Amino acid sequence: MDENRFKFKYFEVSHFQSSMKVGVDAVLLGSWAETKGNRILDVGTGCGVISLMLAQRFPDSQITAIDIDQLSVTEATENFRKSQWTKKLIARLESFPNETLLKGEKYDLIVSNPPFFNSGITSPESRREKARHQKELSPFSLVENSSGLLNPGGSLCMIFPEEFTNEIIRRGEDIGLHSIRLCGIRNNPNRPEKRVMLEMSPESRGSCEVEHLILFEEGEPTPRYLTLCKDFYLKF
C-alpha cells in the first residue's frame, strides 16, 4: 500500500506534497455538504479531495479550489487532471478572501476543512503547521468573509472542533448567516463529540436541522456512517 496515495471508489489522490493529507474530516465533509447550485468554492483545498468528492456527487458543478501553498495547488491540479472530472475542476494559488474572489462571480457553495487554531505559533516549522495555524483562514474568518461571496440561497459548509460551535453560530447570526444544518461527530458512543459540521446560509430556512453522528459501534462502522460515505471508501 502506497501511503502517498489514497484510493477511493471512483478516483485516486496523491497527497504526499500537500500541506494536509487525506483524513476522516475531509471525507465526512465531502460526503455531507449539499448545494442546490453548480458553482462551488473549496477553500484550503490541500490535495483537492473534497473538490473531487463534490465533482462526483454534483455532475453539473464547476469547482474552484484555492490554497496558499504552491505544492498543494500543484498536487491538486495533477489529481484533478487524472480524474474523470478534469474539465469542471480548477486549482488556484490564492488566499481567502482576495480581490479576485470579491470582484468575481458568486458561489452556491463554499466548503472548507479549515485550520483548527485561531492563534498559535508565529513561525511554523513545517508547511503542515502553517496550514493548521494560518491566522487568515480559520472557521471564524470563513464565517466573516463568506456571506458576500454567496449567491442567494447559497451556503457555507465547514468542519471544526466542537468547542468552536457556539461562537461560530453567534458570529454568523451577527452578520446574517443562519445555521441551517448541524452534525455533531463522535468516534464511538462512549466518547464526546469532537467535531461539528455546520451549514450556514444568508437565507433562513427555519430551525436548524441537528444530527448526531457516531462513526463506530463495537468496532464496526455505524449504518449512518456507511450510508454517508459508501460512494467513496473502498471498504464501505
Side-chain angles (χ1 to χ4, degrees):
M1 181 176 177
D2 185 353
E3 65 179 12
N4 292 322
R5 302 193 67 80
F6 200 103
K7 190 172 183 179
F8 294 89
K9 286 183 177 177
Y10 299 103
F11 63 90
E12 188 172 320
V13 295
S14 168
H15 59 170
F16 74 96
Q17 292 189 91
S18 303
S19 54
M20 297 299 290
K21 292 183 177 293
V22 173
V24 173
D25 287 2
V27 176
L28 286 171
L29 185 61
S31 301
W32 187 82
E34 295 289 347
T35 181
K36 295 179 180 179
N38 58 18
R39 286 191 52 79
I40 298 173
L41 177 67
D42 177 9
V43 181
T45 192
C47 64
V49 62
I50 293 176
S51 288
L52 285 161
M53 294 177 72
L54 295 175
Q56 177 182 322
R57 292 180 58 213
F58 304 109
D60 296 327
S61 61
Q62 293 293 322
I63 302 171
T64 300
I66 64 173
D67 204 293
I68 64 165
D69 180 65
Q70 179 63 70
L71 289 178
S72 295
V73 171
T74 299
E75 190 160 55
T77 297
E78 185 65 9
N79 288 331
F80 295 167
R81 185 187 68 81
K82 292 180 178 179
S83 78
Q84 60 186 291
W85 308 288
T86 182
K87 293 182 179 180
K88 61 199 293 183
L89 292 155
I90 184 170
R92 300 198 306 233
L93 183 68
E94 292 184 12
S95 60
F96 179 86
N98 64 70
E99 288 300 315
T100 301
L101 288 175
L102 293 172
K103 293 179 180 179
E105 294 186 48
K106 297 186 184 299
Y107 295 89
D108 302 300
L109 171 65
I110 298 174
V111 64
S112 184
N113 175 18
F116 291 158
F117 305 103
N118 197 37
S119 61
I121 57 175
T122 56
S123 299
E125 296 179 359
S126 72
R127 290 166 50 246
R128 181 165 297 188
E129 286 180 333
K130 180 180 179 181
R132 293 181 68 87
H133 291 81
Q134 185 193 158
K135 289 183 179 180
E136 291 76 15
L137 177 59
S138 71
F140 304 103
S141 67
L142 279 160
V143 170
E144 291 162 0
N145 293 291
S146 289
S147 60
L149 296 172
L150 290 170
N151 282 321
S155 62
L156 165 67
C157 286
M158 57 181 173
I159 187 168
F160 49 81
E162 189 278 335
E163 60 264 28
F164 292 173
T165 305
N166 290 338
E167 178 64 14
I168 287 173
I169 290 174
R170 186 191 67 77
R171 291 200 192 189
E173 290 173 348
D174 288 346
I175 61 171
L177 274 182
H178 306 279
S179 298
I180 56 177
R181 282 198 307 150
L182 183 151
C183 179
I185 304 161
R186 65 180 70 194
N187 285 338
N188 62 64
N190 301 317
R191 301 294 297 274
E193 291 183 347
K194 292 293 187 180
R195 296 281 186 270
V196 167
M197 294 187 288
L198 182 64
E199 180 178 0
M200 310 178 85
S201 176
E203 184 178 90
S204 177
R205 302 177 194 175
S207 60
C208 181
E209 176 186 328
V210 177
E211 176 184 7
H212 299 281
L213 171 64
I214 298 171
L215 301 184
F216 296 95
E217 288 188 281
E218 298 181 353
E220 296 295 327
T222 61
R224 173 57 175 146
Y225 186 22
L226 288 168
T227 299
L228 190 63
C229 299
K230 64 181 175 61
D231 292 333
F232 299 101
Y233 280 139
L234 292 175
K235 62 184 178 181
F236 285 13

